[in-house]
């Protein structure tokens, strides 16, 4: 049944292309070398609401592009290094699966190309989420990452779709294969989308890939799972949710809330929809046990070039270098500190030896 429908969708999109509509959006990421300098950067979170479905069902691609350009323009004056948009930026609100399929076929790659142009114009990395039609006719919930040159450098398909997404006959969804990371000039990015956050073993898969920042495009805020994922992967988690009823968040690598977007004034909504925050990717998570004197010695030598969060209740803290020319890994090695990851693994190894 799904196979027959997939063939029908491909035929429909082929007919649309023949009528002058753009080709399907399914570009392959570009592999390119990048010099990584971990440092303080600015992240703009653009959590605008989805657009309402047109009453006449006349899909206006330019209207969608203009809508998100205007939302990003509110923060672009901050000169962000990374701009993050929420889940399903061109999923019209209140559409049926059949209408969603028609929109994706009609839209083609025009929204993607507009995002490429915006990233290139403003020399920023841009992450957004939008349906992707696969070559087999089925659809992935895809997060796209575009670099400062306007090149697609990563494509992450949501690994854990909800049952409803997989059961739609008119818009059959398919899960992605697993975690995706990509190196940028400020560190390594990883990606999770909405329902993904409920699968704790998936956080362990990402932990092995050592991301510096996890991007969370979502239709729900994740609540305490944000803190779990950040502390488990030892990475920032940047949460961009849809609309003003959900917070825009940044959770630190030790699991602490750094940004929980403050209340808006007026408009009847609880949260502002856009915010720009600073994060520093020149960090390591350290367990306090056995390291506190080494930490004092590092601060005595480097002064304000290094700093830390207060020790968390879990016994860990995030140790930063404020100087891009002083990689925190060099400081950790110099003072023979043991990272939380190393301390955790050593504990497991000793446990096995003492059995």
């Amino acid at each position: 049944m799904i196979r027959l429908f997939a063939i029908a969708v491909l035929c429909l999109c082929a007919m649309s292309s023949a009528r002058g509509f753009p080709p399907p959006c399914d570009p392959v990421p570009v592999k390119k070398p990048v010099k990584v300098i971990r440092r303080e950067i600015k992240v703009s979170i653009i959590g605008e609401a989805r657009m309402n479905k047109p009453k006449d069902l006349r899909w206006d691609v330019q209207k969608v592009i203009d809508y998100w350009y205007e939302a990003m323009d509110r923060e672009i004056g901050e000169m962000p290094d990374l701009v993050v948009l929420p889940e399903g930026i061109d999923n019209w609100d209140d559409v049926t699966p059949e209408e969603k399929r028609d929109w994706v076929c009609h839209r083609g790659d025009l929204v993607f190309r507009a995002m490429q142009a915006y990233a290139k114009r403003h020399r920023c990395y841009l992450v957004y989420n939008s349906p992707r039609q696969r070559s087999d006719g089925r659809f992935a919930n895809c997060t796209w990452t575009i670099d400062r040159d306007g090149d697609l450098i990563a494509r992450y398909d949501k690994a854990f779709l909800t049952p409803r997404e997989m059961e739609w006959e008119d818009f059959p969804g398919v899960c992605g294969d697993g975690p995706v990371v990509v190196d940028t000039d400020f560190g390594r990015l990883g990606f999770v989308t909405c329902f993904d956050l409920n699968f704790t073993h998936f956080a362990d898969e990402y932990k092995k890939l050592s991301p510096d920042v996890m991007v969370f495009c979502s239709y729900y805020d994740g609540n305490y799972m944000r803190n779990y994922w950040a502390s488990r992967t030892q990475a920032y988690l940047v949460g961009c949710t849809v609309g003003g009823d959900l917070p825009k968040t940044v959770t630190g690598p030790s699991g602490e809330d750094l940004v929980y977007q403050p209340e808006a004034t007026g408009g009847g909504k609880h949260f502002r929809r856009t915010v720009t925050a600073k994060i520093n990717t020149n960090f390591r998570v350290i367990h306090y046990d056995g390291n506190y004197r080494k930490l004092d010695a590092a601060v005595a030598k480097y002064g304000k070039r290094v700093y830390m969060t207060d020790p968390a209740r879990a016994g860990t803290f995030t140790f930063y270098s404020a100087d891009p020319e002083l990689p925190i890994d060099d400081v950790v090695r110099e003072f023979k500190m043991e990272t939380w990851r190393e301390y955790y693994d050593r504990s497991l190894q000793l446990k096995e030896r003492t059995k």
Side-chain angles (χ1 to χ4, degrees):
M1 180 69 179
I2 291 178
R3 189 171 184 178
L4 290 174
F5 176 76
I7 294 173
V9 171
L10 289 172
C11 291
L12 173 64
C13 291
M15 290 169 60
S16 298
S17 182
R19 293 198 302 267
F21 290 116
C25 185
D26 194 22
V28 176
V30 174
K31 293 184 179 180
K32 54 197 301 189
V34 59
K35 182 179 180 181
V36 179
I37 302 176
R38 290 177 171 82
R39 63 193 189 278
E40 185 176 85
I41 64 166
K42 290 182 179 179
V43 179
S44 289
I45 305 172
I46 313 297
E48 191 51 86
R50 293 172 177 174
M51 299 181 65
N52 293 325
K53 177 175 68 175
K55 294 181 180 179
D56 57 5
L57 290 184
R58 292 185 179 179
W59 306 116
D60 188 338
V61 179
Q62 190 58 48
K63 186 176 181 179
V64 173
I65 293 169
D66 291 344
Y67 180 82
W68 288 102
Y69 270 24
E70 180 181 353
M72 290 188 287
D73 283 348
R74 293 178 213 154
E75 300 293 334
I76 205 64
E78 297 285 343
M79 301 181 67
D81 298 275
L82 174 64
V83 175
V84 180
L85 278 63
E87 182 181 17
I89 68 164
D90 61 344
N91 285 349
W92 298 80
D93 218 5
D94 297 323
V95 296
T96 66
E98 182 180 8
E99 290 167 345
K100 189 173 182 179
R101 177 201 70 204
D102 292 345
W103 157 251
V104 171
C105 291
H106 174 86
R107 172 210 68 189
D109 64 354
L110 294 181
V111 172
F112 169 74
R113 292 189 180 279
M115 294 301 156
Q116 283 186 298
Y118 195 93
K120 185 175 183 179
R121 182 183 313 126
H122 295 287
R123 301 297 299 168
C124 62
Y125 288 87
L126 194 155
V127 179
Y128 79 100
N129 178 279
S130 176
R132 176 174 79 89
Q133 183 190 352
R134 294 164 30 120
S135 58
D136 62 6
R138 294 184 292 172
F139 298 88
N141 183 327
C142 186
T143 296
W144 312 82
T145 302
I146 300 166
D147 71 5
R148 300 182 194 270
D149 298 321
D151 292 327
L152 177 69
I153 57 170
R155 189 180 69 186
Y156 167 73
D157 292 339
K158 183 177 178 181
F160 298 93
L161 297 178
T162 63
R164 184 179 63 169
E165 288 177 293
M166 292 181 280
E167 290 168 352
W168 278 331
E169 291 186 1
D170 292 323
F171 195 79
V174 60
C175 295
D177 295 329
V180 171
V181 295
V182 64
D183 287 330
T184 69
D185 60 28
F186 57 80
R188 176 169 290 182
L189 293 183
F191 312 93
V192 280
T193 305
C194 201
F195 197 55
D196 286 338
L197 216 64
N198 293 289
F199 297 86
T200 55
H201 72 278
F202 199 39
D204 289 336
E205 292 183 43
Y206 265 113
K207 178 185 175 184
K208 297 173 184 176
L209 300 175
S210 301
D212 298 299
V213 180
M214 294 293 302
V215 176
F216 175 52
C217 304
S218 184
Y219 205 67
Y220 91 118
D221 73 3
N223 203 283
Y224 60 87
M225 291 302 295
R226 296 192 314 268
N227 307 88
Y228 175 85
W229 266 77
S231 61
R232 191 63 179 159
T233 60
Q234 296 169 40
Y236 288 95
L237 191 136
V238 176
C240 187
T241 54
V242 176
D245 292 328
L246 297 170
K248 318 307 163 196
T249 58
V250 178
T251 308
S254 293
E256 69 277 29
D257 287 323
L258 300 178
V259 173
Y260 190 84
Q261 180 54 41
E263 292 185 1
T265 55
K269 297 297 184 182
H270 297 294
F271 298 97
R272 285 173 51 190
R273 301 184 179 199
T274 66
V275 62
T276 296
K278 292 180 180 179
I279 65 174
N280 183 358
T281 59
N282 194 5
F283 72 88
R284 281 292 173 260
V285 178
I286 307 289
H287 195 279
Y288 208 60
D289 191 10
N291 284 310
Y292 62 94
R293 290 179 180 172
K294 299 172 183 178
L295 177 65
D296 289 342
V299 172
K301 177 174 180 178
Y302 291 110
K304 292 183 179 180
R305 295 174 72 190
V306 296
Y307 63 98
M308 77 207 79
T309 59
D310 290 332
R313 283 175 291 180
T316 63
F317 61 89
T318 310
F319 188 38
Y320 298 90
S321 169
D323 184 352
E325 296 184 2
L326 179 65
I328 198 65
D329 286 338
D330 290 353
V331 180
V332 168
R333 280 192 295 268
E334 179 182 354
F335 291 91
K336 296 182 173 57
M337 296 182 190
E338 189 173 31
T339 67
W340 170 221
R341 189 185 301 270
E342 293 166 341
Y343 188 76
Y344 180 91
D345 291 342
R346 184 162 68 93
S347 177
L348 292 179
Q349 292 167 5
L350 289 171
K351 174 182 169 67
E352 290 299 314
R353 292 180 199 168
T354 55
K355 281 185 175 179

